[in-house]
Amino acid sequence: MAASLLLTCCTKEGDVIYQTDPSDAPSAKPLVTVIYDPNAVGDGNYNDLIYQSVEQAAKEHGLRTMHLSPSTREEGLAYLETLFEQMSTAQDTVRRLFIVAAASYDDYLRRNNDRLAANPYTDLLYLETSKPLTGKGSTLCLPYYGAMYEAGGLAQSLASEVLLVAANPKVESVSGAVDGFTDGFNADYIQYPERLGISKTLVTEYLSDDVAGGFTVTDTTAIHVMYDRQWTGYFKMLVPVCGGAARTFQYLNDMMGGYDLAGVNVAINSTQSSLSCVKHIDRAVALCISQWLSPEGMPKHQSLGLADGYTDVVVTPDNSFLYSIISFADGYELTDEMRAKIHEEAIRKEAEYEK
């Protein structure tokens, strides 16, 4: 297992696979190790932002890094077990931070995190949970309800029909995003002209029922989800809350068309996208690493959402091949005043939802 760990480690530059040379002198530099969901690195989305942030922090602070992206959940759990076993008995004074970027390991972490308590030089950071760890370890949550609520409110001016594709209902960050967009879209910020006979329709489809599932998707499945349904109108939006699988939906939509695509987690550059909901997980991870290196250390729990600027909505209407429903119908558009109102309402709604 130790050999397997070494063989899957990336260099600090992230482009070379290597096995540690036993003759190398041990380094006293702090080490940051990130454990991802299966096949997560390379998604061009959330996990790649974490990867880039850790590497940038390593350059700034002189750290060593190791990224573990298992092919299965079982392999990821084996990595964690090996790391916890080694660190619970380690005798050196090298500072180590384990960052767990995977909700699918939640049960294991909460049962085993205190095994690290005997090692004062090892710390744990668990990403994207609103429930703090009991005992050893810090947690970080970037609630997505507010930003997705705002995106849903703004989407009313761009589409009357929305297909919301979500990875699975068991990941907290996914369910919060689905709830936020749904509530924002169903709020009556836009009144469609009666003469057009337009009514709002929101369809939510999950790609998996497994906590680790739905973050990758085949072309065939994506095409079925996107095009094997009947829509009554012309203004349709696709909102993919599914990590790396969103890239599949994007390139299919760029090729085949049919939807105004909303970016999720990252701002996307597409001629068929006028709206992106952004999660600055890279900035949040950089903050946590800086805190870890400081004399004060990381807080036990942090929640950084829309009001804190760690989630955001980017509107790029000039990039869309679709017109605003209101502009198309009556010459009106979503005003700055209305956008400000939706933003403030989203912040308030997020605070209520998090409670």
Side-chain angles (χ1 to χ4, degrees), residues 4-19:
S4 177
L5 259 176
L6 294 173
L7 286 169
T8 53
C9 299
C10 298
T11 66
K12 188 173 179 180
E13 291 72 28
D15 56 2
V16 178
I17 305 299
Y18 75 100
Q19 184 171 11

Side-chain angles (χ1 to χ4, degrees), residues 77-97:
L77 290 172
Y79 287 164
L80 281 170
E81 177 60 28
T82 298
L83 292 170
F84 276 42
E85 179 66 25
Q86 291 175 348
M87 291 307 101
S88 63
T89 58
Q91 300 297 312
D92 60 56
T93 59
V94 175
R95 294 196 62 187
R96 295 178 175 88
L97 173 63

Side-chain angles (χ1 to χ4, degrees), residues 57-76:
K59 292 179 181 178
E60 294 177 2
H61 301 292
L63 310 175
R64 292 177 296 146
T65 65
M66 182 164 64
H67 297 268
L68 304 176
S69 184
S71 57
T72 65
R73 179 175 181 271
E74 289 69 28
E75 187 176 35

